[in-house]
Amino acid sequence: MGTTAKRRRAVPWTLLALWVAVLALAGPFAGKLGDVQHDRAVDYLPANADSTQVAKIQEALPGGETTELVLVYHRDGGLTAADKATAGRQVDRIGGDFDLVTAPRAVPSKDGTTLMYPVASTKPGTDEKLRDEFVNGVRDIAESGDGLQVEVGGPGGLATDAAEVYNALGGPLLYTTVAVVAILLILIYRSPFLWLVPLVVAGIADFLSMGVAYGLNQAFGTTVSGQSSGVMTILVFGAGTDYALLLVSRYREELRRVERPYDAMVAALRGCGPAVVASSLTVAAGLFVLLAADLNSSRGMGPLGAVGVLCALVAMLTLLPAVLVLLGRRVFWPLVPAFGSEPKTKRRSLFAAMGGSAGRRPGAVLLGGAVLLGALALGVLNLPGGLKQEDSFTSKPDAIAAMEQLADAFPEQGTQPITVLAPTGTADAVLGDVREVRGVVGAERGRSGGGWTEISVVAKSAPQSAAETRTIEDLRDRLDGQDSLVGGPSAEQLDLKDTNARDRTVVVPLVLAAILLILIALLRSLVAPVLLLVAVIAVWGASLGIGGLVFGPLFGFDGTDPGLGLLSFVFLVALGVDYGIFLMHRMREESLAGAEPEAAALTALRTTGSVIASAGLVLAATFGVLINMPLVQMVELGFVIAVGVLLDTFLVRTYLVTSASLLLGRKVWWPGPLSKAPRPPEPTEREPELARAP
């Protein structure tokens, strides 16, 4: 007994000491994650696309990457002589204060209301800080006044505005997420102390994930962007809190049956540990599959998201149990689970009522739910078209205002250059071919270096219009076989669309295969895993459909992020299977204990329903935080995942999966041993005599 007691005291303190050591090692690296976070175009572009190669080659040209700006001077009634003089003075000052590639030349609009000055500098190169200093310096000089409107746009201005948004995500995103989780935990636990424990542990897990993410960047060059680091934080708090809810609920259960907190925690970990581990592995596996994507932003989000989930798993299965054991039963005050007590239960709980309704007419419930999800999925047909650069912000930064003003003032020509890179030896021939392409109104040679020559092309049509897209495609067709590359902002958007379509066909089957294998290993069945996957796929379709019903009419969005389908699929399938694992694992546990299929299904729903509901609310709320972010792509992703989690929690998991399990009975565990009816007991020798008795 003495040895056992010493172990009970030593294990939690040993785990705490190990965590202190781990955090001491991770601390210096976690603080450096922001230093390697980049939000350049190449960090979001397809790895193998022509436009990405153009951006990389431009970095190696003399002077490095060019930061291109457009100064837009506008007056509604027409520019006056004083306006033009003001514009000239400001542009001259910009030329004197900054290293420009060429002297800016004024391009007037036909209606006389607007002057456009293209401005470019190579001095910032690939240094994002220098780029932002250049852009903001130009904006400080180019000031509006007395009715004269001045905006600074162009690719450089757009990059600076986007970086400012991404850099601002970290603090507000973290604080809002913590606040949302804290409020929900207080409501769920109804304790002044208990809610703080999983929240602090989740914060420690987030700190550890930042250190690991920095290590991955240094060791393997993993892309770290504002989007991927933000999603990593969401996953740590969302998934980590889910695991904590399941563990604490089971621990509370065991404290009523087991006298010592240490032994109760061991029993709780044995009971729910496999489900939590399998749950996190499904999410991590689904995210790691994103490494097969060609899109750099998706490939970077995969390992960072997986790191967040795995760090949350390790923290919730080691640090959280140690802290809870050391704090003892009093952490649950005022609702302390006393040894030998029975939990206060309502006469008929909500989830018992749900199970009862599903049990009475499982076929009708399953059919009705399937019809409802199918009808919601039809909303996909109403999703807005592809998201353009000017529509990617929920507010209107300077660069977007400049783009809109240019589109109004110069409808007859493009205002955003298309870049062609040609081998220096054939540059003149390529220039001639470019000028002959339909839709091109001008083309000039630019810099040369490293065997490449830059050609700047002006299209007739507005940026990212269907006509400009045809011009880019015609350029690529005309230059095919000449070792030339076509890039620039519009070409990048075109390549993004094509690559997202390719990634869906590659990543989706791999995600399904990876998750299916994990479910088969956990549940020892083929039918149950397929049932769970079909359910989460239906949820994904319905969630996108709801997005189609609200993005345009309610949110006023003019486009859908090309990556929304793939990313929402990965997150909803991986995270949605979590709740299926919690439910099915408990159902299997009850079946192994001898319960009949119907009783096992209803008991599993009754015992895990409130935990799954709480976990679903927390996860939906954490992703819902993204809805308040200033980027349309993050709002759309957060909305679809939050809606999907709620659908999965309150409709699919409670009604449809339960109904399907009731209809299938033991077949849900096919071909495992649980799928076979138990043998009747062998008759004894005396039974025949009793049968013959009168």
Side-chain angles (χ1 to χ4, degrees):
M1 288 294 292
T3 303
T4 303
K6 288 181 180 178
R7 186 175 70 248
R8 291 192 187 105
R9 289 194 299 268
V11 171
W13 286 111
T14 302
L15 287 172
L16 280 181
L18 286 173
W19 270 96
V20 170
V22 167
L23 293 178
L25 291 173
F29 302 109
K32 295 180 180 180
L33 185 63
D35 297 337
V36 298
Q37 177 180 314
H38 298 290
D39 292 290
R40 303 165 301 177
V42 294
D43 298 315
Y44 289 86
L45 291 175
N48 299 313
D50 280 6
S51 58
T52 310
Q53 304 310 310
V54 168
K56 291 180 178 178
I57 292 170
Q58 283 183 310
E59 294 177 2
L61 290 175
E65 184 179 353
T66 301
T67 299
E68 298 175 335
L69 303 177
V70 179
L71 276 68
V72 183
Y73 291 86
H74 174 80
R75 185 182 290 273
D76 288 337
L79 293 169
T80 65
D83 292 336
K84 295 175 183 177
T86 298
R89 286 194 301 271
Q90 291 182 358
V91 170
D92 288 342
R93 184 181 167 191
I94 291 169
D97 289 359
F98 299 100
D99 245 346
L100 303 183
V101 175
T102 58
R105 181 176 59 87
V107 181
S109 63
K110 289 183 177 179
D111 61 7
T113 63
T114 308
L115 274 180
M116 173 177 66
Y117 284 90
V119 173
S121 175
T122 57
K123 189 173 182 180
T126 58
D127 190 313
E128 294 173 62
K129 184 178 180 181
L130 291 177
R131 178 203 65 200
D132 295 343
E133 288 177 357
F134 169 58
V135 173
N136 291 326
V138 170
R139 284 175 170 167
D140 289 340
I141 295 172
E143 295 181 345
S144 302
D146 296 328
L148 176 64
Q149 301 173 27
V150 185
E151 281 109 11
V152 178
L158 190 63
T160 292
D161 290 339
E164 184 177 346
V165 169
Y166 279 117
N167 291 335
L169 288 180
L173 185 62
L174 175 61
Y175 305 144
T176 308
T177 302
V178 170
V180 167
V181 172
I183 292 170
L184 289 173
L185 287 178
I186 292 171
L187 294 174
I188 291 167
Y189 287 139
R190 290 174 291 168
S191 166
F193 307 113
L194 182 57
W195 65 274
L196 195 57
V197 179
L199 190 64
V200 170
V201 172
I204 292 172
D206 186 46
F207 186 76
L208 175 62
S209 69
M210 292 168 64
V212 176
Y214 177 80
L216 285 178
N217 173 268
Q218 296 300 295
F220 304 105
T222 305
T223 300
V224 179
S225 66
Q227 184 185 46
S228 61
S229 61
V231 168
M232 182 177 72
T233 294
I234 290 286
L235 284 171
V236 170
F237 280 92
T241 305
D242 279 5
Y243 305 150
L245 286 167
L246 190 67
L247 177 64
V248 171
S249 174
R250 191 61 177 262
Y251 178 51
R252 190 198 295 265
E253 239 182 274
E254 298 297 338
L255 282 172
R256 300 183 187 279
R257 293 195 286 261
V258 181
E259 184 176 3
R260 298 181 183 274
Y262 177 89
D263 297 329
M265 182 58 72
V266 171
L269 287 171
R270 285 175 179 167
C272 69
V276 172
V277 171
S279 168
S280 66
L281 289 179
T282 57
V283 180
L287 290 169
F288 269 125
V289 170
L290 283 173
L291 287 170
D294 189 42
L295 196 64
N296 282 333
S297 56
S298 296
R299 292 179 66 186
M301 188 180 294
L304 258 67
V307 162
V309 169
L310 294 177
C311 286
L313 170 70
V314 173
M316 295 304 170
L317 291 187
T318 57
L319 180 58
L320 178 63
V323 174
L324 289 174
V325 168
L326 290 173
L327 291 174
R329 297 175 186 271
R330 59 185 175 273
V331 75
F332 289 94
W333 186 88
L335 304 175
V336 179
F339 173 59
S341 66
E342 292 293 330
K344 293 181 180 179
T345 56
K346 298 178 181 178
R347 184 176 299 176
R348 185 170 176 79
S349 70
L350 172 64
F351 292 97
M354 288 180 171
S357 62
R360 285 191 294 272
R361 302 183 65 185
V365 170
L366 184 61
L367 179 61
V371 170
L372 174 61
L373 292 177
L376 290 174
L378 293 176
V380 170
L381 302 175
N382 196 49
L383 282 170
L387 187 67
K388 297 181 180 180
Q389 283 180 314
E390 61 263 30
D391 300 325
S392 57
F393 297 87
T394 56
S395 58
K396 189 183 294 185
D398 287 351
I400 300 302
M403 291 177 68
E404 292 179 352
Q405 187 61 62
L406 287 172
D408 291 338
F410 298 91
E412 75 284 354
Q413 72 174 71
T415 54
Q416 190 165 264
I418 300 169
T419 301
V420 173
L421 287 178
T424 300
T426 60
D428 290 335
V430 170
L431 179 61
D433 287 339
V434 166
R435 287 172 173 167
E436 293 178 3
V437 171
R438 182 182 56 182
V440 171
V441 296
E444 301 293 336
R445 286 176 62 123
R447 299 168 293 164
S448 294
W452 294 93
T453 293
E454 185 181 62
I455 298 173
S456 182
V457 181
V458 177
K460 180 180 181 180
S461 307
Q464 297 181 50
S465 62
E468 191 205 35
T469 297
R470 285 195 298 271
T471 300
I472 293 171
E473 292 171 343
D474 290 344
L475 278 168
R476 287 176 168 172
D477 290 341
R478 182 64 177 264
L479 302 178
D480 186 34
Q482 298 187 41
D483 297 323
S484 297
L485 301 168
V486 179
S490 295
E492 292 168 0
Q493 294 299 309
L494 178 61
D495 290 338
L496 278 173
K497 179 182 176 181
D498 293 341
T499 302
N500 273 296
R502 174 263 174 199
D503 284 350
R504 283 195 296 271
T505 62
V506 173
V507 173
V508 167
L510 291 176
V511 170
L512 293 175
I515 293 177
L516 183 63
L517 291 175
I518 293 173
L519 290 176
I520 290 172
L522 174 71
L523 300 175
R524 308 289 197 276
S525 164
L526 291 177
V527 175
V530 170
L531 171 62
L532 292 180
L533 282 182
V534 169
V536 292
I537 291 171
V539 167
W540 171 65
S543 304
L544 277 180
I546 294 174
L549 297 176
V550 303
F551 285 164
L554 185 61
F555 291 172
F557 295 160
D558 293 321
T560 305
D561 177 40
L564 177 64
L566 176 62
L567 292 179
S568 62
F569 177 85
V570 171
F571 283 116
L572 277 178
V573 169
L575 293 169
V577 166
D578 271 14
Y579 304 135
I581 288 174
F582 297 159
L583 180 68
M584 283 292 189
H585 187 265
R586 187 60 181 258
M587 194 185 303
R588 188 172 188 274
E589 198 176 331
E590 296 293 332
S591 298
L592 287 171
E596 290 297 315
E598 181 176 351
L602 297 180
T603 300
L605 177 61
R606 187 179 66 254
T607 55
T608 65
S610 61
V611 180
I612 291 176
S614 301
L617 286 172
V618 170
L619 190 62
T622 52
F623 273 97
V625 169
L626 294 177
I627 297 175
N628 291 321
M629 296 298 106
L631 289 169
V632 170
Q633 63 190 44
M634 299 193 79
V635 173
E636 292 178 341
L637 181 65
F639 178 85
V640 169
I641 295 177
V643 168
V645 169
L646 293 176
L647 277 176
D648 189 80
T649 302
F650 293 102
L651 173 63
V652 174
R653 205 61 50 211
T654 50
Y655 281 109
L656 304 192
V657 171
T658 301
S659 298
S661 300
L662 291 172
L663 289 171
L664 290 169
R666 295 186 185 277
K667 293 177 183 178
V668 77
W669 304 115
W670 185 88
L674 286 176
S675 63
K676 301 174 178 63
R679 291 183 179 181
E682 295 289 335
T684 63
E685 294 182 1
R686 293 183 56 83
E687 283 177 344
E689 297 177 6
L690 293 173
R692 289 195 298 270

